[in-house]
Amino acid sequence: MNNVLKCFLPILAIILLLPSCTTSKTTVSTTVDLSKYEYASVINNDTYHIPAELMEYEIQLFDAVASSRLKLVNDMRIHELTPRQKEELLLVKYGVSNDNSETIVIVNFIDYMTGRPVASCRGAFGLGIDQGSDLKGAIKRVAKQIADTFPPKK
């Protein structure tokens, strides 16, 4: 019994350490003040769609943006915003990539007025056992990155 435990303990340690090998991070433009942004609109048009097999996770991606201080605005209602609100608006694009070892979710924030990317949040998770679980883990990590990047105002 003791030999079996000695054999499985290193394997268990490797399995527990694997998710920590993938990195979640945020990159922010050094010339932009993120505190000025109040609104976000997730781009959802004919040229930009999430793959069909990932549609069920789109709710979690929207929730990830909603977990920040940014107020969500439907992309079809942007024209109703005032010029000042449009200056405080970020467009949101997201992408998902997965392979056998990890899943990565990237959410990019783009200034509406200039088209300039101002922040990119990356969530990565990988056990390599189940891509659905890896995707959920990556979304949780990107949600934390977004909330840390756009925290509630005090």
Side-chain angles (χ1 to χ4, degrees):
M1 178 72 171
N2 205 10
N3 286 339
V4 172
L5 185 60
K6 286 181 183 179
C7 181
F8 284 109
L9 196 55
I11 294 171
L12 181 62
I14 291 170
I15 290 172
L16 292 175
L17 290 175
L18 279 177
S20 64
C21 295
T22 60
T23 57
S24 298
K25 65 179 183 173
T26 297
T27 303
V28 178
S29 171
T30 57
T31 61
V32 175
D33 177 13
L34 294 182
S35 67
K36 79 174 195 172
Y37 296 103
E38 297 291 328
Y39 305 96
S41 182
V42 179
I43 295 175
N44 190 12
N45 59 32
D46 291 336
T47 59
Y48 187 75
H49 282 292
I50 191 168
E53 64 272 14
L54 303 176
M55 284 295 224
E56 66 183 284
Y57 300 104
E58 191 171 31
I59 294 168
Q60 292 171 316
L61 287 168
F62 272 78
D63 286 349
V65 175
S67 71
S68 71
R69 73 161 184 276
L70 301 173
K71 298 174 194 90
L72 285 171
V73 176
N74 185 305
D75 61 341
M76 297 175 65
R77 299 192 76 176
I78 291 174
H79 68 279
E80 296 175 15
L81 296 176
T82 67
R84 173 139 175 107
Q85 289 171 321
K86 288 178 183 175
E87 290 177 9
E88 300 171 343
L89 175 65
L90 290 169
L91 299 178
V92 181
K93 288 185 180 182
Y94 53 86
V96 178
S97 82
N98 55 17
D99 59 31
N100 291 334
S101 63
E102 73 178 349
T103 298
I104 298 170
V105 176
I106 297 177
V107 180
N108 290 325
F109 296 86
I110 302 158
D111 183 284
Y112 175 76
M113 296 300 283
T114 66
R116 184 179 196 277
V118 297
S120 180
C121 298
R122 178 184 192 269
F125 188 83
L127 291 175
I129 298 170
D130 175 29
Q131 287 185 347
S133 295
D134 286 355
L135 183 57
K136 287 178 186 177
I139 290 172
K140 284 181 184 177
R141 288 188 176 180
V142 81
K144 181 177 178 352
Q145 295 296 318
I146 293 168
D148 291 348
T149 304
F150 299 99
K153 289 188 177 180
K154 295 179 181 184

